[in-house]
Amino acid sequence: MSADHLYPVPPAVAQHAHIDAPRYQALYQASISHPEQFWAEQARRIDWMTAFSQVKQTSFDTEQFGIQWFTGGQLNVSANCLDRHLAERAEQTAIIWEADEPGSAIHISYRELHAQVCRFANVLKQQGVVQGDVVTLYMPMIPEVVIAMLACTRIGAIHSVVFGGFSPEALSSRIGDCGSRIVVTADEGCRAGRRIPLKANVDAAIELLGDRSVNQVIVVRHTGADVAWDARRDHDYDQLMSRAEAHCPPLAMDSEAPLFILYTSGSTGQPKGIVHTTAGYLLYAALTHETVFDYQPGETYWCTADVGWITGHSYMVYGPLANGCTSVMYEGVPNYPDITRMAQIIDSHKVNILYTAPTAIRAMMAQGDAAVQGADGSSLRILGSAGEPINPEAWNWFHQTVGQGRCPIVDTWWQTETGGIMVTPLPGATALKPGSATRPFFGVRPALVDNEGQLLEGEAEGNLILLDSWPGQARSIHGDHSRFIETYFSTFKGVYFTGDGARRDADGYYWITGRVDDVLNVSGHRMGTAEIESALVAHQQVAEAAVVGVAHDIKGQGIYAYVTLNADVQPSESLRIELIQWVRREIGPIATPDCIHWTSGLPKTRSGKIMRRILRKIAAAEYEGLGDLSTLADPAVVDHLINEHRRIS
Ligand code: PRX
């Protein structure tokens, strides 16, 4: 089947969908021609405490840069996600929590979640947290992380969730960057039967921070493991909760008050603390969640993303809860204890909408149909994919095997910085092409430019940019607003540059081709090559390192590291293992290099710039067509690299 095979909208889906094809056309046009009117109308889905006076004041021009939505308005995010549902659906399950080990699931109703959030908001207040403080959450996938996030929003504190797979080093730099004095964590996390020493990692991170340090740590006793305890700093979550009051009024927050910081990787070494604000983010998350997944009241929805990434924020927490949805939250990994686990969870909770990542789909596909062996799967209605390009083979497998040929797949393109889904099919409106993210969401104006910034019309391939603002857009990089403007709005003047390349076909469908900068996407985890390089060169015996991505069957991209050792050091198997461990320790297991290529030299221009284009080609064994080598300081390096690569592979 060709990648361009067209899957029309199933009539049964179109009939009951929120948005069908004519409505998509009409609403999209309206959202582009009259954005203020369109978004004012959409803003009714928010419960406002004070009405806004202006919808949109935005400029991407670096001279008069500014992004403000719904100015003058006030709201509270936790009230929108909880309190307003109490009248109608207090007893409805908000979260179905499924533990790492099969067989134990917990249902938490909106009423219970509301009560827990209010209590924890009071706990935070008692610990001295006030509006505008940053609270770091380093948590496993357990309901307490959702409680902590919403509790922050209730009192106007800003959360910074750090993925539980990051090392103490990575955690400490993220705590240090946002100046957070309080961390919420758990004794341990559980993944695939293994224990993750979260509290010990927090202790190590605080040690690394020295006197800029954290003075409060709240610990959820999740596994009950014995952990080191500093009575002056560490607090037991349950003890604090048992003493806290269950009543906590939600604070009225300005539309543009910061809601959270989320660190993500860019092309430079230092992760960026992306700042999202209150009203626009919540509205965009809620609207996209409802329309992109065609969520209908009463349905059960499962987003498999970890809460440490933006997908977990927007589509496990804020979008679904704002819409009063019942969500599955799963602690573990898709293939534990075996490859049928996802199908088992779908059947046991009658999941209607499944949102996952290509890497999970490919891991299942690698085992033929075993992933759905013995499963019913009839509850599924809509499938979704995000985080990396989905290859047509994986798309077709997902569609046939998991979706039984019946369920539309929404391949959603977006980024940490966009806050919500940007280019995507809508199940009732868009005919699908495997591998294409298809068309823009309401209010989104994508375009393609060449490297000189010239707009490309019609069928074309180029750099993906966005011409105008949308409410869910990030507003800044924490502590470095000029880096924000520089990174996203300066490469091409007056527009937002995504860092992605894309192709637009004759039907106007977008096909994301991947990053055009030095950012890798490994199993849907975004990582800067510079971060991995700086971890490698921090090792005493490494002189120089260059990291590139290389195609990987399951992970999408693997990490290929060229390493030059100090003159007196010989490469060895034990050093290879040591370096891999070293990177895992510096960043976390997600950054584990797949290949270490020992080399005596890297291809550099005469001005000393490493030519990554050449390194990418050699890693992919594409020895021909390396392009212009005349600017290399030492062209002989290329032959050495090719010979070394031949020996490795
Ligand atoms: O390269 C694009 C890829 O993931 C990047 C954003 O990663 P992150 O900030 O972690 O946000 C993930 C939100 C899903 C993008 O720049 N990407 C994301 N979705 C897709 C994708 N690439 C292709 N197709 C997608 N659907």
PDB file of all heavy atoms in Angstrom, residues 80-93:
ATOM      1  N   ASN A  80     -11.310  25.297  36.933  1.00  0.00           N
ATOM      2  CA  ASN A  80     -11.810  24.872  35.624  1.00  0.00           C
ATOM      3  C   ASN A  80     -11.699  23.369  35.418  1.00  0.00           C
ATOM      4  O   ASN A  80     -12.459  22.776  34.664  1.00  0.00           O
ATOM      5  CB  ASN A  80     -11.063  25.605  34.508  1.00  0.00           C
ATOM      6  CG  ASN A  80     -11.711  26.933  34.169  1.00  0.00           C
ATOM      7  OD1 ASN A  80     -12.641  26.987  33.387  1.00  0.00           O
ATOM      8  ND2 ASN A  80     -11.231  27.998  34.804  1.00  0.00           N
ATOM      9  N   CYS A  81     -10.700  22.764  36.074  1.00  0.00           N
ATOM     10  CA  CYS A  81     -10.507  21.315  35.900  1.00  0.00           C
ATOM     11  C   CYS A  81     -11.298  20.512  36.925  1.00  0.00           C
ATOM     12  O   CYS A  81     -11.466  19.308  36.740  1.00  0.00           O
ATOM     13  CB  CYS A  81      -9.024  20.965  36.019  1.00  0.00           C
ATOM     14  SG  CYS A  81      -8.049  21.577  34.633  1.00  0.00           S
ATOM     15  N   LEU A  82     -11.721  21.138  38.025  1.00  0.00           N
ATOM     16  CA  LEU A  82     -12.360  20.374  39.098  1.00  0.00           C
ATOM     17  C   LEU A  82     -13.685  20.982  39.563  1.00  0.00           C
ATOM     18  O   LEU A  82     -14.743  20.399  39.357  1.00  0.00           O
ATOM     19  CB  LEU A  82     -11.404  20.278  40.298  1.00  0.00           C
ATOM     20  CG  LEU A  82     -10.061  19.605  40.016  1.00  0.00           C
ATOM     21  CD1 LEU A  82      -9.121  19.801  41.193  1.00  0.00           C
ATOM     22  CD2 LEU A  82     -10.260  18.121  39.732  1.00  0.00           C
ATOM     23  N   ASP A  83     -13.620  22.143  40.186  1.00  0.00           N
ATOM     24  CA  ASP A  83     -14.794  22.679  40.878  1.00  0.00           C
ATOM     25  C   ASP A  83     -16.023  22.735  39.980  1.00  0.00           C
ATOM     26  O   ASP A  83     -17.133  22.405  40.385  1.00  0.00           O
ATOM     27  CB  ASP A  83     -14.517  24.089  41.429  1.00  0.00           C
ATOM     28  CG  ASP A  83     -13.298  24.113  42.333  1.00  0.00           C
ATOM     29  OD1 ASP A  83     -12.260  23.516  41.960  1.00  0.00           O
ATOM     30  OD2 ASP A  83     -13.364  24.737  43.405  1.00  0.00           O
ATOM     31  N   ARG A  84     -15.811  23.172  38.736  1.00  0.00           N
ATOM     32  CA  ARG A  84     -16.991  23.369  37.890  1.00  0.00           C
ATOM     33  C   ARG A  84     -17.645  22.059  37.458  1.00  0.00           C
ATOM     34  O   ARG A  84     -18.741  22.059  36.937  1.00  0.00           O
ATOM     35  CB  ARG A  84     -16.645  24.216  36.679  1.00  0.00           C
ATOM     36  CG  ARG A  84     -15.698  23.549  35.716  1.00  0.00           C
ATOM     37  CD  ARG A  84     -15.701  24.336  34.441  1.00  0.00           C
ATOM     38  NE  ARG A  84     -14.590  23.995  33.588  1.00  0.00           N
ATOM     39  CZ  ARG A  84     -14.532  24.383  32.332  1.00  0.00           C
ATOM     40  NH1 ARG A  84     -15.499  25.094  31.824  1.00  0.00           N
ATOM     41  NH2 ARG A  84     -13.485  24.056  31.611  1.00  0.00           N
ATOM     42  N   HIS A  85     -16.928  20.931  37.677  1.00  0.00           N
ATOM     43  CA  HIS A  85     -17.553  19.651  37.326  1.00  0.00           C
ATOM     44  C   HIS A  85     -18.381  19.082  38.474  1.00  0.00           C
ATOM     45  O   HIS A  85     -19.089  18.101  38.287  1.00  0.00           O
ATOM     46  CB  HIS A  85     -16.484  18.604  36.967  1.00  0.00           C
ATOM     47  CG  HIS A  85     -15.613  19.028  35.817  1.00  0.00           C
ATOM     48  ND1 HIS A  85     -16.115  19.568  34.664  1.00  0.00           N
ATOM     49  CD2 HIS A  85     -14.265  18.982  35.646  1.00  0.00           C
ATOM     50  CE1 HIS A  85     -15.119  19.850  33.835  1.00  0.00           C
ATOM     51  NE2 HIS A  85     -13.991  19.499  34.402  1.00  0.00           N
ATOM     52  N   LEU A  86     -18.222  19.665  39.665  1.00  0.00           N
ATOM     53  CA  LEU A  86     -18.810  19.013  40.838  1.00  0.00           C
ATOM     54  C   LEU A  86     -20.337  18.962  40.779  1.00  0.00           C
ATOM     55  O   LEU A  86     -20.944  18.002  41.241  1.00  0.00           O
ATOM     56  CB  LEU A  86     -18.328  19.683  42.124  1.00  0.00           C
ATOM     57  CG  LEU A  86     -16.813  19.541  42.368  1.00  0.00           C
ATOM     58  CD1 LEU A  86     -16.409  20.181  43.684  1.00  0.00           C
ATOM     59  CD2 LEU A  86     -16.375  18.082  42.323  1.00  0.00           C
ATOM     60  N   ALA A  87     -20.943  19.987  40.210  1.00  0.00           N
ATOM     61  CA  ALA A  87     -22.407  20.001  40.164  1.00  0.00           C
ATOM     62  C   ALA A  87     -22.940  18.808  39.368  1.00  0.00           C
ATOM     63  O   ALA A  87     -23.892  18.158  39.771  1.00  0.00           O
ATOM     64  CB  ALA A  87     -22.893  21.309  39.553  1.00  0.00           C
ATOM     65  N   GLU A  88     -22.296  18.507  38.246  1.00  0.00           N
ATOM     66  CA  GLU A  88     -22.848  17.478  37.359  1.00  0.00           C
ATOM     67  C   GLU A  88     -22.183  16.122  37.438  1.00  0.00           C
ATOM     68  O   GLU A  88     -22.799  15.113  37.145  1.00  0.00           O
ATOM     69  CB  GLU A  88     -22.747  17.959  35.911  1.00  0.00           C
ATOM     70  CG  GLU A  88     -23.905  18.808  35.514  1.00  0.00           C
ATOM     71  CD  GLU A  88     -23.845  19.192  34.053  1.00  0.00           C
ATOM     72  OE1 GLU A  88     -23.206  18.476  33.273  1.00  0.00           O
ATOM     73  OE2 GLU A  88     -24.435  20.242  33.739  1.00  0.00           O
ATOM     74  N   ARG A  89     -20.884  16.116  37.740  1.00  0.00           N
ATOM     75  CA  ARG A  89     -20.204  14.819  37.643  1.00  0.00           C
ATOM     76  C   ARG A  89     -19.245  14.554  38.807  1.00  0.00           C
ATOM     77  O   ARG A  89     -18.173  13.988  38.609  1.00  0.00           O
ATOM     78  CB  ARG A  89     -19.473  14.693  36.310  1.00  0.00           C
ATOM     79  CG  ARG A  89     -18.549  15.830  35.946  1.00  0.00           C
ATOM     80  CD  ARG A  89     -17.767  15.509  34.690  1.00  0.00           C
ATOM     81  NE  ARG A  89     -18.622  15.384  33.533  1.00  0.00           N
ATOM     82  CZ  ARG A  89     -18.849  16.351  32.659  1.00  0.00           C
ATOM     83  NH1 ARG A  89     -18.252  17.511  32.813  1.00  0.00           N
ATOM     84  NH2 ARG A  89     -19.648  16.164  31.635  1.00  0.00           N
ATOM     85  N   ALA A  90     -19.674  14.950  40.004  1.00  0.00           N
ATOM     86  CA  ALA A  90     -18.801  14.768  41.166  1.00  0.00           C
ATOM     87  C   ALA A  90     -18.386  13.306  41.335  1.00  0.00           C
ATOM     88  O   ALA A  90     -17.239  13.009  41.667  1.00  0.00           O
ATOM     89  CB  ALA A  90     -19.505  15.262  42.425  1.00  0.00           C
ATOM     90  N   GLU A  91     -19.315  12.376  41.080  1.00  0.00           N
ATOM     91  CA  GLU A  91     -19.003  10.963  41.320  1.00  0.00           C
ATOM     92  C   GLU A  91     -18.389  10.273  40.101  1.00  0.00           C
ATOM     93  O   GLU A  91     -17.993   9.119  40.173  1.00  0.00           O
ATOM     94  CB  GLU A  91     -20.252  10.198  41.787  1.00  0.00           C
ATOM     95  CG  GLU A  91     -20.891  10.751  43.058  1.00  0.00           C
ATOM     96  CD  GLU A  91     -19.882  11.024  44.184  1.00  0.00           C
ATOM     97  OE1 GLU A  91     -18.930  10.229  44.343  1.00  0.00           O
ATOM     98  OE2 GLU A  91     -20.030  12.045  44.883  1.00  0.00           O
ATOM     99  N   GLN A  92     -18.313  10.986  38.979  1.00  0.00           N
ATOM    100  CA  GLN A  92     -17.680  10.384  37.785  1.00  0.00           C
ATOM    101  C   GLN A  92     -16.183  10.200  38.039  1.00  0.00           C
ATOM    102  O   GLN A  92     -15.547  11.016  38.701  1.00  0.00           O
ATOM    103  CB  GLN A  92     -17.896  11.300  36.574  1.00  0.00           C
ATOM    104  CG  GLN A  92     -17.357  10.715  35.275  1.00  0.00           C
ATOM    105  CD  GLN A  92     -17.237  11.783  34.197  1.00  0.00           C
ATOM    106  OE1 GLN A  92     -18.185  12.541  33.952  1.00  0.00           O
ATOM    107  NE2 GLN A  92     -16.072  11.848  33.564  1.00  0.00           N
ATOM    108  N   THR A  93     -15.629   9.116  37.508  1.00  0.00           N
ATOM    109  CA  THR A  93     -14.190   8.907  37.665  1.00  0.00           C
ATOM    110  C   THR A  93     -13.427   9.929  36.832  1.00  0.00           C
ATOM    111  O   THR A  93     -13.705  10.089  35.637  1.00  0.00           O
ATOM    112  CB  THR A  93     -13.808   7.487  37.210  1.00  0.00           C
ATOM    113  OG1 THR A  93     -14.532   6.564  38.022  1.00  0.00           O
ATOM    114  CG2 THR A  93     -12.318   7.233  37.356  1.00  0.00           C
TER     115      THR A  93
END
